[in-house]
Amino acid sequence: MALILLVLVGCGSSTPPAEEPKTETQAEAATDTKTEAADAPKAEEEPKGIPEACVGDDKAACVMPKGFVKRLCNGVYPELALFLFQKGSPWRRAYVSAKEVAPFNGLGGPSAEEKLTLDEELLVLSQMKANTGGMQVSGATGSVDVLRWDGTCATLSTEEVRFQAPSKPKHAVIPWRILEDATQEALKQNEALGKVAIERKKECKGATMGAVSAKCEKADKALNDLVVDAVRTGTTVPKPAKVP
């Protein structure tokens, strides 16, 4: 009989104690926690499309969203460059301060064949400070990713650019013949530009590659200069159909 009682006691001790019922306050707290988790805002995704304002804490630097910069610099977007360079746009201008710089695209996309030269105007896309681990290192420099007037990107050291405009800023060669029709038509609303566009078409006779006449080269350069002048002085450029 004693053995049976011991067995029963042993079995009973392995049974977990019954869970105490939650109080009303505990139940409300659990419900509130679930509600807060459900209502918590998800991490904001970067909006697609063409940015309209600077991002980041340093507004003076006026950089563009990282995702947009990466997509932009993975291709070539001449129409978009003209749109972003428009008069009154918020983007920060920079100017080449070195005599000549190789057109290296540090974001992995294509580069132009044309080198960057002294006083070429650029748009700042992003900036990166030199990582010195908090130490002051003589000669340490950061880098800046920029957009050129031809729609290509380039990466320069901060020592190779300045932010004070020269008296006569230069520009990369704009590929007029491949610009979207809507962009060309908008630019030709500028009377002087429209006349030179007609002259260029006549002199170049649709040439897209190979040797061209001296008159064609002269008309092409004149047209390039007029495009930049028109955009700088307020000619409206439509949003391009092709965007990153």
Side-chain angles (χ1 to χ4, degrees):
M1 186 66 176
L3 180 60
I4 295 174
L5 287 173
L6 287 172
V7 171
L8 289 174
V9 171
C11 293
S13 64
S14 63
T15 304
E19 183 179 345
E20 293 184 8
K22 291 182 179 179
T23 65
E24 185 176 346
T25 303
Q26 290 173 326
E28 288 176 355
T31 303
D32 290 343
T33 301
K34 291 179 181 179
T35 303
E36 288 174 4
D39 294 341
K42 296 180 180 179
E44 289 187 10
E45 293 185 2
E46 182 186 303
K48 301 294 184 181
I50 304 171
E52 298 179 354
C54 314
V55 298
D57 297 328
D58 187 356
K59 297 304 179 185
C62 192
V63 297
M64 300 187 187
K66 291 181 180 179
F68 174 79
V69 172
K70 181 64 177 176
R71 296 192 301 273
L72 173 64
C73 293
N74 274 335
V76 180
Y77 298 90
E79 295 88 359
L80 182 54
L82 298 180
F83 180 82
L84 294 172
F85 267 105
Q86 286 183 102
K87 180 181 180 181
S89 68
W91 312 116
R92 192 181 192 191
R93 271 65 171 172
Y95 305 89
V96 179
S97 61
K99 184 177 180 180
E100 196 174 78
V101 183
F104 168 68
N105 183 345
L107 294 174
S111 301
E113 294 182 3
E114 177 190 8
K115 291 183 178 180
L116 297 92
T117 56
L118 182 66
D119 293 341
E120 180 180 332
E121 184 180 25
L122 312 161
L123 279 190
V124 175
L125 300 174
S126 59
Q127 279 186 261
M128 183 170 291
K129 296 180 180 179
N131 185 5
T132 61
M135 299 174 61
Q136 290 187 347
V137 180
S138 177
T141 181
S143 64
V144 57
D145 297 306
V146 296
L147 179 67
R148 306 177 73 185
W149 275 87
D150 63 1
T152 63
C153 293
T155 302
L156 290 78
S157 73
T158 53
E159 294 178 343
E160 292 172 324
V161 297
R162 65 175 182 272
F163 299 102
Q164 183 178 2
S167 57
K168 293 182 179 179
K170 297 175 185 177
H171 58 84
V173 176
I174 298 163
W176 171 265
R177 64 179 180 78
I178 65 169
L179 292 179
E180 295 174 0
D181 290 343
T183 300
Q184 287 193 12
E185 291 305 314
L187 290 168
K188 285 191 287 187
Q189 296 306 305
N190 178 292
E191 187 176 353
L193 191 155
K195 289 180 179 179
V196 174
I198 293 172
E199 182 182 342
R200 181 201 174 280
K201 186 175 182 181
K202 174 185 172 183
E203 296 296 342
C204 297
K205 297 180 175 61
T208 58
M209 60 184 298
V212 295
S213 69
K215 287 185 177 180
C216 174
E217 286 186 356
K218 183 178 179 180
D220 204 40
K221 184 181 184 310
L223 184 59
N224 256 258
D225 291 341
L226 284 169
V227 167
V228 173
D229 185 62
V231 174
R232 283 176 178 161
T233 55
T235 297
T236 301
V237 179
K239 286 186 178 182
K242 181 185 176 184
V243 295

